Amino acid sequence: KHPHDVEGMRLLADIGSRLGVHEDADFLLETAIEIAPENLQLRIDHIQVLRKRQKFSAALTQAESLLAKDPNSPIFLSLFAIESMQAGQYETALEAFENVLKTLPNDPATLTSRGHALKTYGRSDDAVASYRAALAAAPHYGDAWYALANLKTYRFTDDEVAQMQDLQASTDLSFMAQIHIAFALGKAFEDANEHAVAFENYERGNALKQKQTRYTTAQMQDEFAAQKRYVTASVIVDQSGKGCTAPDPIFIVGLPRAGSTLIEQILASHSQVDGTLELPNILSLAHRLRGRNLVTDRDRYPRVLSDLSADDLKALGEDYVQNTQIHRQGAPFFTDKMPNNFRHIGLIHLILPNAKIIDARRAPMDCCWSGFKQLFAEGQEFTYGLEEIGHYYRGYVDLMEHWTEILPQGRILKVQHEDVLDDLEGQVRRILAYCELPFEQACIDFHKTDRAVRTASSEQVRQPISRAGQNQWRPFETYLTPLKTALGETLS
C-alpha cells in the first residue's frame, strides 16, 4: 500500500538480513537511501548488510559518507575503522581505532575490534595487549575473552581462568557473553589437560549457541539429496561447455577446520595466486536461483540447472568473476575458500568449467571435534551439536563421491590433510601441478608469507607445519559416542 515507506523498507531489510536474504536486504536499503538520503540509520543498517555480503568497498564508501557528516562522531569513526579493516586497509583502520580511543579510551568494543585488526595483520602480541585492555576496562566483555582463546596460540593464566569462572557463575552476563566465556574456558581447560571440565564448557557453549540457530539435519540431508537427484551425469553432459571460460578461480571446499586455510596459504604464497576470503558469491548465486517459494518449491534449485540456457550459465559465471574482482590484487588466479561451496560443485562446474576445485579433506574425528569446539562468527550452524556435525560430515563425503562420479575424471583434486603433514613438498607439487602452476619454493615456506588471514587458523598458518592438531579428540573420546554413531561407516 505504501511502496515508498522508508521505515517499512528498513524493517523488511532487517528481517531479510536476519534470515540470510542479504541480496534483497541490500536492494531495499539502497532504494530507501535514494528516497531519504539524509536518513543516517539507513546508511548504518546498509553498512551491516554490505559487510555480510562482503561488498567491503561499498560498505567503506557508506562509512566515509557518514564520517564526512560528523568527523568527530566516535560511532561513525568506529564504523569507518571497521570497514577499512574489512577492505584490507589495516593501517588506516588502526589509525581510526586509535582516534576513537582518544575519545573513548576504555571502550571494550573498540579495543577488541582493534585487536581483531592487529591479529589479521599478523601482529599477535599487540592483539593480545588490545584484548587484555578491553577486559581490564570491562571484565564481562565476553567477545574479548573468546578473541584471546581464538588466537589458538594463547594460554590463559590461572588468574584469568578464575576470573572467567567467577563471571560464568554470575547472573548478569549477556547471552552472547555466556557463549563466549564457555568456549574460552573450554580452550583454557583443554590446554591444562582438564578434559572433563573442558568438555563441560564446550558442551555448554554449543548448547547455548544452538538455541540461536534454525539448523536441522533433516533439512540439510534434503538439500544434499536434491543435489544428487537433479544434478545427474546426463545434466552435466548436456549443460557442459556453456559457462564462462575464465580459468581464474581456485575453489577450496570441504568442512571448516579441515586444513583449507593451510592449502590457501600455500597457494597464496605463489606469485600467480591471490589469496582472498571465504567468498559468499556462489552461495548468493544459489540463493538467487532458488527463488522465493521455499515452502512450495524448495527444490527449484538445483532442478533449474538443467533448464538454464548457455547465455544464462555464461552470465552467472561472468557475474561471479566480476563481483569477486574487488578481493583480488592483480594476480591471474585467486582462491575462494568458502567451505560450504562443496554443496554447489555442480553449479560451479557448469558456470565456470575451467575453474579448479580442491576438496580439503581431514580425518573425520579430528575435523568434527575441531569444528565442535570452534565458535564461528556466523554460518556453520551444523557444528553446534555432536550428532549434527557427524551427520553433516557423512553427508559431505557422500555428496563429494557423487560429484566425483558425474564430473569428468580429475575435475576435483582431493587433498588429505594428513598427507600434507606427511609429505609437504610432495603435496605442494601435486597441488600446483593440478592448478597448472610452476613450482615455487615460497609455497613450501608458506609460513613466511606476509598476508592478512581472517580465519580461525590465522596464527597457525604463520608457523611451520605442525601435527599439534592431530588426535586432539582422543582425550575426550568417552564423551564422543554421539559423534561416532552419527559418522557411522565414514569413520573407516
Side-chain angles (χ1 to χ4, degrees), residues 227-242 305-307 349-350 402-403 405-408:
Q227 292 287 344
K228 293 174 65 176
R229 183 163 60 250
Y230 293 112
V231 190
T232 61
S234 61
V235 170
I236 293 298
V237 171
D238 293 344
Q239 294 288 66
S240 282
K242 300 177 182 179
L305 291 179
S306 62
D307 301 326
H349 173 73
L350 294 179
H402 173 71
W403 298 134
E405 288 173 4
I406 69 169
L407 295 180

Side-chain angles (χ1 to χ4, degrees), residues 295-315:
V295 175
T296 58
D297 192 10
R298 181 173 291 276
D299 292 346
R300 181 179 186 275
Y301 168 80
R303 190 184 67 242
V304 70
L305 291 179
S306 62
D307 301 326
L308 295 176
S309 68
D311 288 343
D312 292 332
L313 293 169
K314 183 178 180 182

Side-chain angles (χ1 to χ4, degrees), residues 364 390 393-394 397-398 401 483-492:
Y393 187 100
R394 192 173 180 174
V397 170
D398 181 65
E401 287 178 359
L483 172 58
K484 287 186 173 184
T485 303
L487 284 167
E489 61 187 17
T490 310
L491 273 174
S492 57

